Amino acid sequence: MNPRAIAAWSLAALAIAVSTNNPVYRAVVALCALNLILARGRPGLRLRPLLVTVAVAAAIATVVSLLLSHTGTHRFIEVPGDVPLIGGAITLESLVFGLVTGLGIAAALLAVAPLTLVADPYDLVDALPPFLARTGAAIGTALNLIPTMARSAADIRDAQRLRGWRPRRVRDWPDVAVPVVLTAVESSITLAEAMEARGWGSGPRTHYLTAPRWWFDVAVAVSALLAAAAFLALRASGAVPDWYPFPVIPPLPVNPAALACCLVLILPSLGPDTR
Amino acid sequence: MRRAALAAPIAGVLAGGFGGAATLVPAAQLCAAATYTGHVTLVVEHGDTRVVGLCIGFDGSSITGEQMLQASGLEYATQSYGGLGDAVCQLDSEPASYGACLPASGSYWAMFVSRNGGGWQTADRGISTETFSDGDAEGFRYVPQSRPQPPPASPAGICARALAGPPTPAPAATTSATAAAGVAPAQSSAGGGTTGSGPDGGTTPPPAPTDAAAATPPPAALRAGGSGGVATVGTRPAPPAGGPTAALLAAGVAVGALAALLVWRVARRRMGQP
């Protein structure tokens, strides 16, 4: 898919996920994002790191809300009030609130995941508008430095161990950290010289190969942005109210129009394969 | 605290709360409801389906839910829930007594809000933090916890009828105010309540329970913030059996379909298919 279409879709999905705390809409956004990743993900894609990250973030939000929010009618246990922070009632309503908050975090993370899991990073940087081209290149280069530094750190650590290095204190780790930093600086200088040799920054940005734009990509981008705009309009008008499980868990209000706006996000995972 | 310039009856209620019935504001000082800059509707539906509808006038840009209850003259008791605001534990003497504001079983007062004539929505704040502007409505319904929360009777037309009514003559209004003092709501004497209110600040005993037969509108001058107010007392048909709405069912079907599609894609991926 065209990276700009993916960016528009992610923006729309993120806007819907963060603008409401209704778990129905958040669940629909999350499921649409997972479907998109599975349908359009790059070859060789591994989802386990993403899923683990999402699960851990959601679990932390749930536990924090459960322990710190003592509001609610249906109480599980009563923690003595002398206990700091978590002292008080542990209620079903706070558990539900934590789960809803975790679902929101998961939906937001999954909404932006296609930017890295579906779009090629180089195509994504290339798709940036001209006034963001230099900033995008700098950010992309910096992000690309992270895995490079990780590999360099592992190599240097193994080399030091072959020389008899055994870390026992925090003061021993500069033996690895300093070479890693120096290696990263040297790599950055080499990269800068390579970019300058290829004329980067000497004139307007050129493209070796422009990502094709199919009618389907345009349809995905337009429909996603319109759906997000419609959803936000419904929120502003009061048709999509907030939902809180306090003091008792109320029924979930679902607006058919808002639900339809969320379901539009499934479009890119159902369309033809444009690869 | 918002600087909403509330109606004189509210001031009269509060003044009476500090000094007893003798300091109630005379009816001559009560302003007509129509002269207020804003009007909101209060609907209270009891567990036995009795409905009380009141039109509250106020000056300013907004009014809180608790100020509306104060202006209404209805007896009420609340409990604070921190940042969420105060929840209503007792309203118009129902329940007659309570131990916990929101019991784990039994009934409680569900709060609803209506914005600018729209439909009822479950309130996400307490009465002390929920604010209302001209044309909005605040609703309460006494519902069992084990059942869904249907909204109270519609607020449509209550303020329109109140504003269209003829002004109440001064002597009659005085009598009404005095009569109101005689049945002034009082602070709940039951345990668990942390706040109570009434025109005389809780020094009079709780009023006698009202029943459907006592359909006489309460004193308009005091209840509706001025002359011309109307209190509607009546019953409503038994609501249909509660259940999930069609939209909620459609949402469930949609989520299930998306989940099934996801499972299908995972299965294909594991089988090595694109």
Side-chain angles (χ1 to χ4, degrees):
Chain A
M1 284 183 65
N2 187 281
R4 292 180 178 174
I6 297 173
W9 184 94
S10 288
L11 178 64
L14 184 63
I16 293 176
V18 302
S19 66
T20 179
N21 60 358
N22 191 313
V24 172
Y25 306 129
R26 286 179 166 179
V28 171
V29 170
L31 289 171
C32 289
L34 283 172
N35 272 285
L36 173 59
I37 293 170
L38 284 174
R40 306 286 185 181
R42 295 199 306 273
L45 178 66
R46 294 180 66 247
L47 289 181
R48 186 183 295 271
L50 170 67
L51 296 178
V52 169
T53 302
V54 169
V56 169
I60 290 175
T62 302
V63 171
V64 167
S65 176
L66 180 65
L67 295 179
L68 299 185
S69 175
H70 306 296
T71 307
T73 306
H74 301 87
R75 304 187 171 193
F76 293 134
I77 58 175
E78 194 81 29
V79 177
D82 300 336
V83 179
L85 292 180
I86 65 173
I90 306 297
T91 66
L92 173 65
E93 286 76 15
S94 59
L95 173 63
V96 171
F97 182 72
L99 289 173
V100 172
T101 304
L103 179 59
I105 293 174
L109 289 175
L110 291 172
V112 298
L115 288 174
T116 56
L117 300 180
V118 176
D120 191 283
Y122 303 106
D123 288 341
L124 195 61
V125 173
D126 201 43
L128 290 173
F131 65 93
L132 288 178
R134 289 175 177 265
T135 305
I139 294 175
T141 305
L143 292 176
N144 207 33
L145 190 63
I146 296 175
T148 305
M149 288 182 65
R151 285 193 297 269
S152 173
D155 293 340
I156 293 173
R157 184 194 61 206
D158 293 340
Q160 293 286 44
R161 281 179 172 166
L162 285 174
R163 295 178 177 84
W165 177 75
R166 293 291 181 269
R168 293 188 181 87
R169 301 181 298 268
V170 176
R171 287 184 295 176
D172 294 333
W173 281 100
D175 294 336
V176 172
V178 171
V180 169
V181 172
L182 292 176
T183 304
V185 170
E186 189 175 330
S187 298
S188 300
I189 293 174
T190 304
L191 178 62
E193 290 175 348
M195 292 171 69
E196 188 175 0
R198 287 166 176 81
W200 191 80
S202 61
R205 182 181 61 174
T206 58
H207 302 273
Y208 174 71
L209 186 66
T210 305
R213 187 184 306 125
W214 301 92
W215 64 267
F216 183 71
D217 296 325
V218 176
V220 165
V222 172
S223 63
L225 293 175
L226 287 177
F231 189 90
L232 294 176
L234 289 171
R235 280 281 292 162
S237 68
V240 181
D242 290 329
W243 182 85
Y244 291 100
F246 301 113
V248 290
I249 302 174
L252 285 167
V254 177
N255 183 292
L259 180 64
C261 291
C262 297
L263 288 174
V264 168
L265 298 177
I266 195 62
L267 181 63
S269 64
L270 298 178
D273 191 354
T274 56
R275 282 178 291 192
Chain B
M1 186 177 179
R2 286 189 178 272
R3 287 193 165 196
L6 298 177
I10 300 175
V13 167
L14 295 178
F18 287 111
T23 60
L24 274 179
V25 177
Q29 297 185 13
L30 295 176
C31 303
T35 62
Y36 299 135
T37 58
H39 302 87
V40 290
T41 306
L42 173 66
V43 177
V44 176
E45 183 165 339
H46 290 266
D48 58 1
T49 71
R50 284 178 302 120
V51 176
V52 176
L54 301 170
C55 183
I56 310 294
F58 66 98
D59 287 326
S61 60
S62 63
I63 183 175
T64 67
E66 188 157 16
Q67 290 172 331
M68 289 176 62
L69 289 182
Q70 291 170 353
S72 70
L74 295 173
E75 178 274 340
Y76 73 95
T78 63
Q79 182 168 331
S80 175
Y81 280 84
L84 289 175
D86 295 346
V88 174
C89 311
Q90 184 185 50
L91 182 56
D92 201 15
S93 303
E94 179 171 21
S97 63
Y98 62 94
C101 185
L102 295 174
S105 60
S107 299
Y108 72 103
W109 283 104
M111 180 180 172
F112 299 84
V113 297
S114 168
R115 300 296 181 190
N116 202 22
W120 286 116
Q121 299 171 356
T122 306
D124 55 9
R125 301 186 189 91
I127 60 170
S128 58
T129 52
E130 192 75 69
T131 58
F132 299 86
S133 303
D134 181 35
D136 293 344
E138 178 183 41
F140 294 93
R141 184 164 182 173
Y142 200 62
V143 292
Q145 296 226 21
S146 58
R147 286 168 50 188
Q149 302 170 2
S154 171
I158 293 178
C159 268
R161 291 194 298 274
L163 297 176
T168 305
T174 303
T175 303
S176 298
T178 305
V183 292
Q187 184 174 2
S188 171
S189 59
T194 57
T195 306
S197 177
D200 60 355
T203 58
T204 59
T210 56
D211 53 37
T216 304
L222 188 61
R223 288 298 182 93
S227 58
V230 169
T232 303
V233 179
T235 59
R236 64 180 295 176
T245 62
L248 189 58
L249 284 174
V253 171
V255 171
L258 290 174
L261 182 62
L262 186 65
V263 170
W264 176 71
R265 291 191 192 280
V266 170
R268 287 189 61 185
R269 188 184 173 91
R270 289 187 172 181
M271 289 167 54
Q273 296 177 6

mmCIF file of all heavy atoms in Angstrom, chain A residues 53-85:
data_model
loop_
_atom_site.group_PDB
_atom_site.id
_atom_site.type_symbol
_atom_site.label_atom_id
_atom_site.label_comp_id
_atom_site.label_asym_id
_atom_site.label_seq_id
_atom_site.Cartn_x
_atom_site.Cartn_y
_atom_site.Cartn_z
ATOM 1 N N THR A 53 4.312 -6.174 23.593
ATOM 2 C CA THR A 53 4.337 -4.781 24.035
ATOM 3 C C THR A 53 2.942 -4.288 24.359
ATOM 4 O O THR A 53 2.720 -3.639 25.396
ATOM 5 C CB THR A 53 4.966 -3.895 22.945
ATOM 6 O OG1 THR A 53 6.276 -4.360 22.653
ATOM 7 C CG2 THR A 53 5.031 -2.442 23.391
ATOM 8 N N VAL A 54 2.000 -4.564 23.482
ATOM 9 C CA VAL A 54 0.621 -4.113 23.699
ATOM 10 C C VAL A 54 0.040 -4.757 24.957
ATOM 11 O O VAL A 54 -0.608 -4.099 25.769
ATOM 12 C CB VAL A 54 -0.237 -4.443 22.464
ATOM 13 C CG1 VAL A 54 -1.699 -4.247 22.769
ATOM 14 C CG2 VAL A 54 0.174 -3.567 21.291
ATOM 15 N N ALA A 55 0.282 -6.054 25.109
ATOM 16 C CA ALA A 55 -0.269 -6.757 26.270
ATOM 17 C C ALA A 55 0.323 -6.222 27.572
ATOM 18 O O ALA A 55 -0.400 -6.032 28.561
ATOM 19 C CB ALA A 55 -0.001 -8.253 26.138
ATOM 20 N N VAL A 56 1.611 -5.973 27.584
ATOM 21 C CA VAL A 56 2.251 -5.471 28.806
ATOM 22 C C VAL A 56 1.728 -4.074 29.149
ATOM 23 O O VAL A 56 1.405 -3.780 30.313
ATOM 24 C CB VAL A 56 3.787 -5.443 28.633
ATOM 25 C CG1 VAL A 56 4.451 -4.685 29.779
ATOM 26 C CG2 VAL A 56 4.326 -6.864 28.579
ATOM 27 N N ALA A 57 1.621 -3.207 28.142
ATOM 28 C CA ALA A 57 1.123 -1.850 28.396
ATOM 29 C C ALA A 57 -0.311 -1.890 28.915
ATOM 30 O O ALA A 57 -0.670 -1.174 29.862
ATOM 31 C CB ALA A 57 1.210 -1.017 27.118
ATOM 32 N N ALA A 58 -1.134 -2.717 28.311
ATOM 33 C CA ALA A 58 -2.529 -2.808 28.748
ATOM 34 C C ALA A 58 -2.627 -3.393 30.152
ATOM 35 O O ALA A 58 -3.445 -2.956 30.972
ATOM 36 C CB ALA A 58 -3.327 -3.656 27.757
ATOM 37 N N ALA A 59 -1.807 -4.385 30.434
ATOM 38 C CA ALA A 59 -1.845 -4.999 31.758
ATOM 39 C C ALA A 59 -1.410 -4.016 32.840
ATOM 40 O O ALA A 59 -1.998 -3.966 33.926
ATOM 41 C CB ALA A 59 -0.944 -6.239 31.782
ATOM 42 N N ILE A 60 -0.398 -3.216 32.549
ATOM 43 C CA ILE A 60 0.054 -2.225 33.537
ATOM 44 C C ILE A 60 -1.054 -1.221 33.813
ATOM 45 O O ILE A 60 -1.327 -0.873 34.974
ATOM 46 C CB ILE A 60 1.325 -1.515 33.029
ATOM 47 C CG1 ILE A 60 2.506 -2.477 33.035
ATOM 48 C CG2 ILE A 60 1.644 -0.292 33.886
ATOM 49 C CD1 ILE A 60 3.775 -1.911 32.435
ATOM 50 N N ALA A 61 -1.710 -0.748 32.766
ATOM 51 C CA ALA A 61 -2.809 0.208 32.962
ATOM 52 C C ALA A 61 -3.932 -0.408 33.778
ATOM 53 O O ALA A 61 -4.526 0.247 34.644
ATOM 54 C CB ALA A 61 -3.339 0.669 31.600
ATOM 55 N N THR A 62 -4.234 -1.664 33.531
ATOM 56 C CA THR A 62 -5.312 -2.328 34.259
ATOM 57 C C THR A 62 -4.961 -2.465 35.729
ATOM 58 O O THR A 62 -5.778 -2.162 36.613
ATOM 59 C CB THR A 62 -5.584 -3.709 33.653
ATOM 60 O OG1 THR A 62 -5.918 -3.556 32.264
ATOM 61 C CG2 THR A 62 -6.722 -4.401 34.359
ATOM 62 N N VAL A 63 -3.765 -2.912 36.010
ATOM 63 C CA VAL A 63 -3.366 -3.131 37.404
ATOM 64 C C VAL A 63 -3.288 -1.805 38.163
ATOM 65 O O VAL A 63 -3.741 -1.697 39.315
ATOM 66 C CB VAL A 63 -2.014 -3.862 37.457
ATOM 67 C CG1 VAL A 63 -1.482 -3.913 38.879
ATOM 68 C CG2 VAL A 63 -2.164 -5.272 36.913
ATOM 69 N N VAL A 64 -2.753 -0.784 37.526
ATOM 70 C CA VAL A 64 -2.638 0.519 38.188
ATOM 71 C C VAL A 64 -4.023 1.049 38.535
ATOM 72 O O VAL A 64 -4.270 1.538 39.637
ATOM 73 C CB VAL A 64 -1.876 1.507 37.292
ATOM 74 C CG1 VAL A 64 -2.018 2.925 37.820
ATOM 75 C CG2 VAL A 64 -0.406 1.130 37.210
ATOM 76 N N SER A 65 -4.942 0.951 37.584
ATOM 77 C CA SER A 65 -6.291 1.448 37.849
ATOM 78 C C SER A 65 -6.973 0.629 38.934
ATOM 79 O O SER A 65 -7.668 1.168 39.793
ATOM 80 C CB SER A 65 -7.121 1.387 36.561
ATOM 81 O OG SER A 65 -8.446 1.776 36.806
ATOM 82 N N LEU A 66 -6.761 -0.686 38.916
ATOM 83 C CA LEU A 66 -7.401 -1.550 39.894
ATOM 84 C C LEU A 66 -6.926 -1.223 41.309
ATOM 85 O O LEU A 66 -7.718 -1.217 42.255
ATOM 86 C CB LEU A 66 -7.105 -3.007 39.552
ATOM 87 C CG LEU A 66 -7.695 -4.064 40.482
ATOM 88 C CD1 LEU A 66 -9.213 -4.047 40.402
ATOM 89 C CD2 LEU A 66 -7.175 -5.443 40.137
ATOM 90 N N LEU A 67 -5.647 -0.938 41.452
ATOM 91 C CA LEU A 67 -5.087 -0.724 42.782
ATOM 92 C C LEU A 67 -5.279 0.705 43.287
ATOM 93 O O LEU A 67 -5.358 0.925 44.495
ATOM 94 C CB LEU A 67 -3.598 -1.063 42.774
ATOM 95 C CG LEU A 67 -3.240 -2.523 42.517
ATOM 96 C CD1 LEU A 67 -1.735 -2.706 42.517
ATOM 97 C CD2 LEU A 67 -3.888 -3.442 43.535
ATOM 98 N N LEU A 68 -5.342 1.664 42.387
ATOM 99 C CA LEU A 68 -5.379 3.057 42.823
ATOM 100 C C LEU A 68 -6.785 3.657 42.819
ATOM 101 O O LEU A 68 -7.018 4.671 43.467
ATOM 102 C CB LEU A 68 -4.468 3.922 41.931
ATOM 103 C CG LEU A 68 -2.980 3.555 41.939
ATOM 104 C CD1 LEU A 68 -2.185 4.549 41.119
ATOM 105 C CD2 LEU A 68 -2.453 3.502 43.366
ATOM 106 N N SER A 69 -7.697 3.058 42.082
ATOM 107 C CA SER A 69 -9.051 3.592 42.011
ATOM 108 C C SER A 69 -9.926 2.812 42.963
ATOM 109 O O SER A 69 -10.175 1.635 42.755
ATOM 110 C CB SER A 69 -9.597 3.493 40.579
ATOM 111 O OG SER A 69 -10.945 3.896 40.551
ATOM 112 N N HIS A 70 -10.388 3.435 44.001
ATOM 113 C CA HIS A 70 -11.169 2.750 45.026
ATOM 114 C C HIS A 70 -12.648 3.089 44.934
ATOM 115 O O HIS A 70 -13.391 2.917 45.892
ATOM 116 C CB HIS A 70 -10.634 3.123 46.402
ATOM 117 C CG HIS A 70 -9.157 2.878 46.530
ATOM 118 N ND1 HIS A 70 -8.605 1.620 46.461
ATOM 119 C CD2 HIS A 70 -8.117 3.736 46.697
ATOM 120 C CE1 HIS A 70 -7.296 1.710 46.577
ATOM 121 N NE2 HIS A 70 -6.962 2.974 46.713
ATOM 122 N N THR A 71 -13.060 3.552 43.787
ATOM 123 C CA THR A 71 -14.458 3.908 43.594
ATOM 124 C C THR A 71 -15.206 2.739 42.992
ATOM 125 O O THR A 71 -14.673 2.011 42.161
ATOM 126 C CB THR A 71 -14.546 5.129 42.658
ATOM 127 O OG1 THR A 71 -13.710 6.168 43.170
ATOM 128 C CG2 THR A 71 -15.976 5.632 42.566
ATOM 129 N N GLY A 72 -16.428 2.574 43.400
ATOM 130 C CA GLY A 72 -17.233 1.493 42.842
ATOM 131 C C GLY A 72 -18.112 0.866 43.903
ATOM 132 O O GLY A 72 -17.892 1.040 45.101
ATOM 133 N N THR A 73 -19.093 0.142 43.430
ATOM 134 C CA THR A 73 -20.083 -0.432 44.332
ATOM 135 C C THR A 73 -19.778 -1.883 44.681
ATOM 136 O O THR A 73 -19.922 -2.293 45.830
ATOM 137 C CB THR A 73 -21.476 -0.350 43.687
ATOM 138 O OG1 THR A 73 -21.737 0.999 43.318
ATOM 139 C CG2 THR A 73 -22.547 -0.818 44.641
ATOM 140 N N HIS A 74 -19.347 -2.657 43.724
ATOM 141 C CA HIS A 74 -19.120 -4.094 43.939
ATOM 142 C C HIS A 74 -17.665 -4.291 44.367
ATOM 143 O O HIS A 74 -16.746 -4.192 43.568
ATOM 144 C CB HIS A 74 -19.407 -4.869 42.653
ATOM 145 C CG HIS A 74 -20.809 -4.701 42.144
ATOM 146 N ND1 HIS A 74 -21.189 -3.663 41.313
ATOM 147 C CD2 HIS A 74 -21.931 -5.416 42.386
ATOM 148 C CE1 HIS A 74 -22.478 -3.762 41.047
ATOM 149 N NE2 HIS A 74 -22.956 -4.814 41.694
ATOM 150 N N ARG A 75 -17.496 -4.618 45.606
ATOM 151 C CA ARG A 75 -16.148 -4.678 46.176
ATOM 152 C C ARG A 75 -15.681 -6.112 46.281
ATOM 153 O O ARG A 75 -16.413 -7.000 46.734
ATOM 154 C CB ARG A 75 -16.148 -4.030 47.568
ATOM 155 C CG ARG A 75 -16.674 -2.604 47.538
ATOM 156 C CD ARG A 75 -16.527 -1.892 48.846
ATOM 157 N NE ARG A 75 -16.842 -0.484 48.688
ATOM 158 C CZ ARG A 75 -16.559 0.430 49.601
ATOM 159 N NH1 ARG A 75 -15.957 0.093 50.719
ATOM 160 N NH2 ARG A 75 -16.869 1.699 49.396
ATOM 161 N N PHE A 76 -14.429 -6.347 45.863
ATOM 162 C CA PHE A 76 -13.826 -7.664 45.998
ATOM 163 C C PHE A 76 -13.255 -7.830 47.391
ATOM 164 O O PHE A 76 -13.656 -8.700 48.142
ATOM 165 C CB PHE A 76 -12.704 -7.846 44.961
ATOM 166 C CG PHE A 76 -13.189 -7.883 43.544
ATOM 167 C CD1 PHE A 76 -12.553 -7.160 42.560
ATOM 168 C CD2 PHE A 76 -14.288 -8.636 43.187
ATOM 169 C CE1 PHE A 76 -13.000 -7.187 41.253
ATOM 170 C CE2 PHE A 76 -14.745 -8.671 41.889
ATOM 171 C CZ PHE A 76 -14.091 -7.945 40.910
ATOM 172 N N ILE A 77 -12.265 -7.001 47.666
ATOM 173 C CA ILE A 77 -11.594 -7.061 48.965
ATOM 174 C C ILE A 77 -11.367 -5.649 49.457
ATOM 175 O O ILE A 77 -11.487 -4.685 48.707
ATOM 176 C CB ILE A 77 -10.236 -7.809 48.887
ATOM 177 C CG1 ILE A 77 -9.314 -7.132 47.864
ATOM 178 C CG2 ILE A 77 -10.437 -9.268 48.561
ATOM 179 C CD1 ILE A 77 -7.929 -7.716 47.817
ATOM 180 N N GLU A 78 -11.057 -5.550 50.719
ATOM 181 C CA GLU A 78 -10.810 -4.255 51.345
ATOM 182 C C GLU A 78 -9.375 -4.245 51.844
ATOM 183 O O GLU A 78 -9.028 -4.959 52.784
ATOM 184 C CB GLU A 78 -11.782 -4.055 52.503
ATOM 185 C CG GLU A 78 -11.862 -2.640 53.021
ATOM 186 C CD GLU A 78 -12.763 -1.757 52.171
ATOM 187 O OE1 GLU A 78 -13.710 -2.296 51.574
ATOM 188 O OE2 GLU A 78 -12.521 -0.553 52.111
ATOM 189 N N VAL A 79 -8.541 -3.451 51.197
ATOM 190 C CA VAL A 79 -7.152 -3.321 51.640
ATOM 191 C C VAL A 79 -7.120 -2.310 52.784
ATOM 192 O O VAL A 79 -7.752 -1.262 52.690
ATOM 193 C CB VAL A 79 -6.258 -2.841 50.473
ATOM 194 C CG1 VAL A 79 -4.823 -2.637 50.938
ATOM 195 C CG2 VAL A 79 -6.323 -3.843 49.326
ATOM 196 N N PRO A 80 -6.418 -2.613 53.855
ATOM 197 C CA PRO A 80 -6.381 -1.670 54.973
ATOM 198 C C PRO A 80 -5.968 -0.280 54.520
ATOM 199 O O PRO A 80 -5.053 -0.114 53.698
ATOM 200 C CB PRO A 80 -5.340 -2.283 55.916
ATOM 201 C CG PRO A 80 -5.365 -3.735 55.601
ATOM 202 C CD PRO A 80 -5.680 -3.840 54.138
ATOM 203 N N GLY A 81 -6.600 0.698 55.072
ATOM 204 C CA GLY A 81 -6.336 2.071 54.671
ATOM 205 C C GLY A 81 -4.948 2.561 55.037
ATOM 206 O O GLY A 81 -4.485 3.559 54.490
ATOM 207 N N ASP A 82 -4.286 1.836 55.947
ATOM 208 C CA ASP A 82 -2.934 2.240 56.327
ATOM 209 C C ASP A 82 -1.945 2.017 55.198
ATOM 210 O O ASP A 82 -0.879 2.644 55.177
ATOM 211 C CB ASP A 82 -2.482 1.444 57.558
ATOM 212 C CG ASP A 82 -3.410 1.686 58.731
ATOM 213 O OD1 ASP A 82 -4.070 2.765 58.745
ATOM 214 O OD2 ASP A 82 -3.492 0.820 59.618
ATOM 215 N N VAL A 83 -2.272 1.120 54.288
ATOM 216 C CA VAL A 83 -1.358 0.835 53.181
ATOM 217 C C VAL A 83 -1.358 2.043 52.247
ATOM 218 O O VAL A 83 -2.411 2.446 51.758
ATOM 219 C CB VAL A 83 -1.797 -0.433 52.418
ATOM 220 C CG1 VAL A 83 -0.855 -0.703 51.257
ATOM 221 C CG2 VAL A 83 -1.873 -1.623 53.362
ATOM 222 N N PRO A 84 -0.196 2.628 51.977
ATOM 223 C CA PRO A 84 -0.194 3.826 51.117
ATOM 224 C C PRO A 84 -0.593 3.499 49.682
ATOM 225 O O PRO A 84 -0.314 2.423 49.166
ATOM 226 C CB PRO A 84 1.267 4.313 51.202
ATOM 227 C CG PRO A 84 2.047 3.119 51.606
ATOM 228 C CD PRO A 84 1.149 2.271 52.451
ATOM 229 N N LEU A 85 -1.239 4.415 49.076
ATOM 230 C CA LEU A 85 -1.675 4.368 47.667
ATOM 231 C C LEU A 85 -2.764 3.340 47.406
ATOM 232 O O LEU A 85 -3.818 3.666 46.884
ATOM 233 C CB LEU A 85 -0.479 4.102 46.728
ATOM 234 C CG LEU A 85 0.559 5.207 46.601
ATOM 235 C CD1 LEU A 85 1.663 4.805 45.646
ATOM 236 C CD2 LEU A 85 -0.082 6.500 46.154
#
